[in-house]
Amino acid sequence: MGIIEKVPAYIERLPGGGIVTTSMDWVLNQSRASSLWYMLFGLACCAIEMMAAGASRYDFDRFGMIFRASPRQADLMFVAGTVTHKMSKRVKLLYEQMAEPSYVFAMGGCACNGGPFYYDCYSVLKGIDQVIPVDIYIPGCPPRPESLMEGCLKLQEKIKKEKMSDWASDRKEV
Amino acid sequence: MDRPRFRPHAGKITVDNMIENKDLREEEFLINMGPQHPSTHGVLRLILKMEGEFIRDLTPYVGYLHRSIEKIAENRTYNQFMPFTDRIDYCASMPSNLAWATAVEKLAAIEVPERAEYLRVIMVELNRIASHLIWLGTMSLDLGAVTPFLYAFREREWILDLFEMTCGQRLTYHYIRIGGVARDIPVEFEKSCRAFIKDFRRRVDDYEAILTENPIFLGRTKDIGILPLDLAKDLGASGPTIRGSNYGWDIRKVEPYSVYDRFDFQIPIGANGDVWDRYMVRIEEFRQSCKIIEQALDGLPEGDTVRSKLPTVLRPPAGEVFSRIEAPRGEMGYYIVSNGDKKPFRVKIRTASYGNLQCLRPTSIGLKIADLVAIFGSLDVILPEVDR
């Protein structure tokens, strides 16, 4: 009964078991927060750190995070690397292909605001938030896998605060 | 929209019957692959002209990661441009740094302390192993083998630990500077590095046990994507791609830079230039790099000078210079035009991946679409090197 004591729920004992009564919000948020499938989408240097985070030592699977190659199956997109003007339309398309609710990480300096390519550069988009909404910004060039994990924990906190009643107003404007 | 629809057959279903009923269509069609595709290792886009399963033509579209690095170089001083060289080839930042440093040193006639040269060799060879490990992991992942990916990244983390204790970064090192290296190695580096080499020799045998004689892997790689030598030369291929085609072209041997002429190592070459040969060349390079690192650690000169004294603002004399090194993917060089100012007038970057990407079209025409993934994996193209 360890985990059940932490559940904001009412438990009614019956002979041979019990009934757990809790809010739909809690169940949905808990299950969504603990199985964030991310899209395998590498742009530049940060993609290598994203791969390292998913590989042996850092092991993203512990968070229930498994990479999917298709945006249709993904809940979460790491914009990992430099976004050029040419690529920005494709990134927007990929974001729109993801099923609602979807979350976006701006990973690394380039995705946050252009990073080292801010000055004297004619081809780089100065921050992915000019194209798609961003939930978590992770600075660094590139960020370490630990900071990526910290970002995931922050996103889980954010998801756990969501309410079903907000979903309708939060829908994407396409 | 008027789409051809499946019609139920009257009678027995045979190929002849289907062709007669025009359900089995034979015309060519186009497939768009990328820029978001798990096996294109970045943002390459391919337009494939297919005839059934077979590739009839193929056009790579590049430029999705064009970051105008050559233009940035014209607006930075020679030292300020060094961090950008990290981002040209992020899997192998140390060789990129070394290429820029040797080019500027050649232009301005700067002496490098001997200890720094040895440290450069150690770091570059460690990074060659790390880069080939990424290639091994991603290529075997594309071919459906997940285990080598996890093994390769496990060993790569050890190399990154060595880099981290030296320069504090995991991926973009900025360690090799003009006139030497940034700082000396810590005391515990040598012991850890030797332990890594000892362990890694055994690990390479493990990779070979998993992949080299694996019938599935052999079926996917043997006699697939054969690159003839004369074609490879015409297309400007270099590195393991041309060495797989039975040609010992390695800048470390043909035009020794740094202190490579003092070490004893072989250049592995393949027999007929298929995917398996390119795989074997890289596996053998793991062992040769280990050999070089051990020799460099043995011969590492004593002393604490790792960077020669330079003026705060470096102003090389006017002139042109081209200097090249052997990066993990092949020949990497910088062509610098200087007009005596503190900033270069023009920088042209010659990268290996651009030449190697040209080999994709002639090797994959006529093969099945599944083989394209194997060929592309074996070329080890990295897209920021292509687009720059």
Side-chain angles (χ1 to χ4, degrees), chain A residues 27 62 81-82 99 134:
Chain A
V27 173
R62 292 179 295 161
T82 317
V134 176

Side-chain angles (χ1 to χ4, degrees), chain B residues 67-284:
Chain B
R67 302 191 277 196
S68 62
I69 286 182
E70 288 181 6
K71 186 72 189 166
I72 288 173
E74 294 168 18
N75 295 302
R76 296 283 187 279
T77 64
Y78 290 89
N79 278 318
Q80 281 174 340
F81 183 61
M82 189 64 93
F84 290 92
T85 61
D86 286 327
R87 276 116 189 132
I88 292 170
D89 182 356
Y90 46 73
C91 289
S93 300
M94 292 280 187
S96 309
N97 286 347
L98 180 65
W100 175 250
T102 47
V104 177
E105 282 154 13
K106 197 172 164 187
L107 180 68
I110 297 167
E111 287 285 319
V112 181
E114 202 173 326
R115 188 176 168 83
E117 292 277 26
Y118 274 78
L119 289 179
R120 282 176 175 191
V121 168
I122 293 168
M123 295 304 165
V124 166
E125 292 304 319
L126 278 176
N127 208 329
R128 191 184 308 277
I129 295 175
S131 169
H132 283 354
L133 282 173
I134 293 179
W135 156 81
L136 181 76
T138 51
M139 181 187 165
S140 50
L141 196 64
D142 293 345
L143 295 180
V146 185
T147 316
F149 172 75
L150 297 172
Y151 281 5
F153 268 74
R154 180 187 62 193
E155 267 74 74
R156 186 173 168 270
E157 289 292 337
W158 194 336
I159 301 181
L160 296 193
D161 283 347
L162 290 173
F163 286 150
E164 208 178 328
M165 72 167 78
T166 312
C167 59
Q169 260 283 18
R170 276 172 55 89
L171 200 66
T172 48
Y173 309 111
H174 191 202
Y175 176 64
I176 296 172
R177 306 279 172 91
I178 296 166
V181 293
R183 59 179 76 85
D184 210 343
I185 48 172
V187 186
E188 64 270 26
F189 180 90
E190 189 175 335
K191 196 180 159 204
S192 182
C193 190
R194 282 188 196 277
F196 168 75
I197 298 292
K198 191 166 170 253
D199 182 70
F200 187 68
R201 288 226 165 91
R202 193 165 55 82
R203 301 291 187 195
V204 179
D205 297 339
D206 284 356
Y207 306 148
E208 286 220 82
I210 294 173
L211 288 176
T212 306
E213 296 298 325
N214 186 330
I216 301 170
F217 187 76
L218 278 175
R220 292 293 303 271
T221 57
K222 202 82 180 159
D223 295 327
I224 301 288
I226 294 175
L227 181 67
L229 176 58
D230 47 349
L231 185 67
K233 279 182 182 173
D234 288 350
L235 293 171
S238 57
T241 306
I242 199 165
R243 289 201 282 278
S245 304
N246 201 356
Y247 187 55
W249 180 257
D250 191 315
I251 312 292
R252 290 176 292 176
K253 282 280 185 197
V254 297
E255 207 182 277
Y257 54 92
S258 195
V259 286
Y260 272 106
D261 47 352
R262 299 183 199 174
F263 302 122
D264 169 40
F265 62 101
Q266 278 94 43
I267 304 298
I269 54 173
N272 58 351
D274 55 10
V275 173
W276 194 79
D277 279 335
R278 292 194 278 273
Y279 158 80
M280 276 315 286
V281 165
R282 288 198 179 89
I283 290 285
E284 203 51 48

Side-chain angles (χ1 to χ4, degrees), chain A residues 40-41 43-45 48-49 51 55-58 69 82 84 86 90 116 120-123 141-142 144-145, chain B residues 36 38 43 62-68 75-76 84 87 90 138 150 153 156-157 161 164 169-172:
Chain A
L40 188 64
F41 176 48
L43 283 165
C45 330
I48 305 291
E49 285 298 73
M51 278 156 63
S56 317
R57 184 185 285 181
Y58 296 98
T82 317
T84 56
K86 189 174 178 179
R90 277 82 181 175
D120 306 322
C121 189
Y122 52 81
S123 58
C141 191
R144 299 175 59 89
Chain B
Q36 188 263 334
V43 285
V62 298
Y64 289 95
L65 198 52
H66 173 65
R67 302 191 277 196
S68 62
N75 295 302
R76 296 283 187 279
F84 290 92
R87 276 116 189 132
Y90 46 73
T138 51
L150 297 172
F153 268 74
R156 186 173 168 270
E157 289 292 337
D161 283 347
E164 208 178 328
Q169 260 283 18
R170 276 172 55 89
L171 200 66
T172 48

